[in-house]
Amino acid sequence: MRILAAFIAFFCLSIPANASVRLSDDLCTMGTALNGQISDVVAASHKFDCSSEKFDFSGSKLWIRFPFEASRIPTGAVEIQGDNNGLTSMAVHAVLRDGSIESRYFSEQEVINSWRPKGHYGLEIPRSGDPSIRNRIETVYVSLDNPRVASSITLLQLNSKQKWDDLKLPLSAMFALLCGMAIMPFFYNVFFYGALRYSFMLWHSVMIMGTVVYTFSSSGLMFLVFPETTLTTKFLLNYWTLAIAIAASGFFLDRFVETGKIAGWLRPLLLVSAVLPVFVTAWIFQTTHGYDTNIRNFYHASFLPYLLIVLYTMGHALRRGSKAIWFQIAAWTPIIIFSLDRIARGMDVYIGIHELDYGLYFALVLETIVLAFGVATRIMKLRRKHENTLRKQVELTLLAETDGLTSIGNRRAFESAFKDNLSNRKYSHIAILDIDFFKRVNDRYGHEIGDEVLRVVGRKLAETDHFAARIGGEEFALLFQVDERMMRSENAASVMTAVCEDLIRAVHEAVPEIEQPVTFSAGISSIPRRASLKSVMAVADRRLYNAKNNGRNQVVSFDLTERPGSHEGDVAKA
């Protein structure tokens, strides 16, 4: 809506200045050396080329002659306007009916200072502000030193100087607003790229900056901010930024559309055609240094293959079911329409309507905003897909590390927890716990009852603060912490004794079919720093063996075979 309002405001502002006189049909051209003089040119006026070949000229100084027909232009000074890309010094000469000549010479800086929105110059025709002189002007001669582009000739027109002086500020503000609107998605991309790392965000950022710099340069805004900028610099920025933005758009399209929606054979064509303008631009400035009026034709023609391939790619991806391509269709269709017209005019197929260039600016800004919504939507979809993938990975990990019967960890989960404990030291002891005479339970009451006993044990162990896992049939392993500050009232054997007592009560209450108590034996080992799981498990397993050999239903925290005798707290009956 803001873009539409700005577009309407532009046309309302520019209506008073639309009373221009286009000169492309009436002008004639002639080339001379740089030292060519107006008197010699007027004397040789019969040598001017007024044919269809007049835009192809030779010589370092280009002379343009046209009749002064300013009846449509309001009273006041009249200015000659044209494309200022790559210009240097210029001169404007007004020939009066009596043969006298009024002349004015402009340095490159004066040409820069006369800039008009959309990158034109506006040079006053000498003495045209004086009504008595204006009515006597018959012919105007304009000289350009070393012109670089044919648009320096084809876009010439007469306009009211006062009207364009009044429009300069509001039109500049409009272009500044467009640049500001266009650059906002760039900061969005920069902010989120650090966390999301989607490559299409980088290419979109390059597109945005290319579009903004192109608009900033070609509209003439850069002369407000950087008044010392040369017209050659503007010329280079216009050509390079647009070529780079187009190249980035190809890679953006390739990365943005869902995987598989662009055929493998089409992707190389898309990318090669996208970078073609960059190579053509480099070739132009390497071989001609920009001093060739035909470079404009080559430059604009280099965009044509890419636009045609993009049109095909959008339809191709749409047929393959792409959802993201709708954003490209919405954002790029207006640009392609305006660009095809711009290419045709740039290749001098026809002169066309110069004001359509303003439509291209609005289309470029609209594109950055529409694609910003597209990028946001695509990011949300990718995030949801990523979250679903992570959730599935977590689910698979849980399945891989969870015992199916008891719903607590399995041996793999236990090994992972022990490995983590080597660095965080969350647990100080390990215990291996075994259900006494479990085979008798299965043989007498059946496997259904035996499985229920295992489930009860798993649920009860999961309620403790310890890490518990089922590592064998009726064998469980625990990692637990004994607070050293409370060693006098609590030790590893007493902690495990309490656990075994709770398990005996839980099984008795949950599985009443078993008449006699189900008891437990456990072996405990401390976890020395840098100890391996294998070594610690071997100690705990050996002590579990001692507990079973010593009558079962007990917790052993030392090696009975190596340390005979009773040790308080080392052997505990459950």
Side-chain angles (χ1 to χ4, degrees):
M1 186 61 70
R2 293 179 182 178
I3 294 180
L4 179 61
F7 193 63
I8 295 172
F10 160 73
F11 278 108
C12 292
L13 287 171
S14 60
I15 284 174
N18 282 338
S20 59
V21 177
R22 299 187 182 280
L23 303 172
S24 56
D25 293 333
D26 300 326
L27 62 81
C28 303
T29 64
M30 183 177 73
T32 68
L34 278 177
N35 59 359
Q37 300 297 315
I38 180 61
S39 57
D40 298 329
V41 170
V42 172
S45 60
H46 61 281
K47 295 182 179 179
F48 273 80
D49 184 357
C50 301
S51 70
S52 59
E53 305 296 324
K54 61 188 176 183
F55 300 120
D56 297 326
F57 63 90
S58 60
S60 301
K61 183 188 287 287
L62 171 65
W63 291 88
I64 304 170
R65 185 192 70 191
F66 55 86
F68 184 71
E69 297 177 356
S71 58
R72 290 174 51 193
I73 298 176
T75 57
V78 179
E79 66 181 21
I80 180 73
Q81 294 181 352
D83 187 356
N84 63 10
N85 264 326
L87 293 180
T88 54
S89 53
M90 295 179 61
V92 180
H93 311 274
V95 180
L96 308 185
R97 291 194 187 97
D98 59 7
S100 60
I101 301 175
E102 298 288 343
S103 300
R104 185 170 178 186
Y105 297 88
F106 301 89
S107 66
E108 180 179 354
Q109 189 58 51
E110 289 175 315
V111 176
I112 293 172
N113 294 340
S114 74
W115 70 273
R116 299 303 189 193
K118 182 50 186 80
H120 285 184
Y121 60 82
L123 302 178
E124 182 181 350
I125 294 177
R127 305 285 302 277
S128 62
D130 184 343
S132 62
I133 299 295
R134 171 174 169 168
N135 293 333
R136 295 163 52 200
I137 299 175
E138 191 171 64
T139 308
V140 176
Y141 289 81
V142 178
S143 66
L144 296 80
D145 294 341
N146 296 312
R148 294 186 174 186
V149 291
S151 55
S152 299
I153 314 169
T154 58
L155 300 181
L156 282 181
Q157 59 185 18
L158 295 178
N159 260 309
S160 167
K161 184 178 186 303
Q162 184 60 49
K163 293 295 183 182
W164 276 93
D165 284 342
D166 294 341
L167 283 171
K168 189 172 185 176
L169 181 60
L171 286 180
S172 298
M174 182 202 69
F175 278 114
L177 175 64
L178 291 179
C179 287
M181 294 170 65
I183 203 170
M184 290 305 296
F186 171 80
F187 298 107
Y188 170 90
N189 285 344
V190 170
F191 181 79
F192 285 102
Y193 178 75
L196 303 177
R197 300 288 178 177
Y198 297 129
S199 61
F200 63 78
M201 299 176 70
L202 288 180
W203 293 114
H204 187 227
S205 298
V206 176
M207 287 172 57
I208 291 171
M209 292 311 299
T211 300
V212 170
V213 175
Y214 174 76
T215 304
F216 181 71
S217 170
S218 62
S219 67
L221 279 180
M222 66 185 306
F223 296 127
L224 276 178
V225 183
F226 307 106
E228 301 300 320
T229 303
T230 66
L231 293 171
T232 299
T233 300
K234 171 183 176 289
F235 176 52
L236 292 172
L237 281 175
N238 287 357
Y239 274 57
W240 275 111
T241 53
L242 193 57
I244 291 172
I246 288 294
S249 71
F251 286 89
F252 171 77
L253 177 58
D254 178 61
R255 303 295 194 277
F256 182 72
V257 174
E258 301 94 331
T259 303
K261 301 304 181 183
I262 300 178
W265 63 267
L266 183 57
R267 293 180 61 194
L269 289 178
L270 175 68
L271 299 180
V272 170
S273 64
V275 299
L276 179 61
V278 175
F279 288 106
V280 171
T281 303
W283 172 76
I284 286 172
F285 290 106
Q286 180 65 30
T287 57
T288 68
H289 302 287
Y291 288 98
D292 187 337
T293 54
N294 290 319
I295 64 173
R296 186 165 171 261
N297 296 350
F298 297 129
Y299 177 76
H300 286 90
S302 67
F303 292 94
L304 190 56
Y306 175 67
L307 294 180
L308 297 177
I309 291 176
V310 165
L311 283 172
Y312 178 83
T313 302
M314 291 193 299
H316 171 82
L318 191 61
R319 289 193 303 272
R320 287 190 163 210
S322 172
K323 303 298 183 183
I325 198 64
W326 281 108
F327 289 99
Q328 264 86 9
I329 293 173
W332 288 0
T333 299
I335 289 180
I336 291 174
I337 293 172
F338 284 114
S339 296
L340 290 174
D341 167 77
R342 185 72 181 89
I343 289 172
R345 289 186 288 119
M347 296 174 63
D348 300 324
V349 175
Y350 68 102
I351 301 301
I353 303 173
H354 173 61
E355 280 72 17
L356 287 177
D357 283 346
Y358 292 100
L360 180 59
Y361 284 117
F362 283 95
L364 287 171
V365 175
L366 175 66
E367 177 249 6
T368 61
I369 295 174
V370 171
L371 287 186
F373 284 107
V375 167
T377 303
R378 185 83 175 105
I379 287 173
M380 287 189 290
K381 289 183 177 179
L382 288 172
R383 289 283 292 175
R384 284 196 293 269
K385 182 179 178 181
H386 182 64
E387 289 169 359
N388 289 337
T389 301
L390 288 179
R391 185 169 61 252
K392 290 179 180 178
Q393 288 177 347
V394 170
E395 291 172 356
L396 290 174
T397 300
L398 288 175
L399 288 173
E401 295 186 350
T402 302
D403 178 63
L405 181 63
T406 62
S407 298
I408 61 175
N410 57 17
R411 178 176 287 274
R412 180 178 178 180
F414 184 76
E415 291 173 353
S416 178
F418 184 88
K419 183 179 180 181
D420 292 340
N421 188 63
L422 293 178
S423 56
N424 58 36
R425 300 296 297 174
K426 183 178 179 180
Y427 306 108
S428 61
H429 289 74
I430 185 174
I432 300 178
L433 182 146
D434 188 84
I435 303 175
D436 294 334
F437 301 113
F438 185 70
K439 186 176 183 300
R440 292 182 185 178
V441 173
N442 279 331
D443 292 343
R444 183 172 180 179
Y445 300 100
H447 289 281
E448 290 282 345
I449 297 299
D451 288 347
E452 182 60 24
V453 170
L454 293 174
R455 282 191 284 268
V456 172
V457 173
R459 285 198 300 271
K460 196 63 180 177
L461 290 177
E463 294 173 359
T464 68
D465 295 332
H466 317 311
F467 181 87
R470 182 186 177 203
I471 60 173
E474 69 272 20
E475 200 168 66
F476 297 81
L478 285 84
L479 292 169
F480 61 99
Q481 176 70 40
V482 176
D483 193 341
E484 295 179 354
R485 294 170 298 179
M486 300 176 64
M487 282 297 291
R488 292 183 179 180
S489 59
E490 180 183 77
N491 56 40
S494 65
V495 169
M496 280 308 302
T497 299
V499 169
C500 291
E501 290 172 347
D502 289 341
L503 291 176
I504 292 171
R505 284 192 295 269
V507 172
H508 179 69
E509 294 171 359
V511 192
E513 293 88 348
I514 303 177
E515 298 173 357
Q516 69 278 12
V518 176
T519 61
F520 299 84
S521 299
I524 301 174
S525 172
S526 62
I527 306 175
R529 292 185 180 276
R530 296 183 295 277
S532 67
L533 176 61
K534 183 178 179 180
S535 62
V536 176
M537 287 283 284
V539 173
D541 195 56
R542 184 169 62 248
R543 292 172 181 174
L544 172 63
Y545 180 79
N546 289 338
K548 286 184 172 293
N549 286 342
N550 201 40
R552 292 183 170 83
N553 190 23
Q554 58 187 269
V555 175
V556 176
S557 59
F558 73 97
D559 292 325
L560 294 178
T561 56
E562 297 179 6
R563 297 172 57 190
S566 177
H567 297 263
E568 184 180 353
D570 291 336
V571 179
K573 287 284 187 179

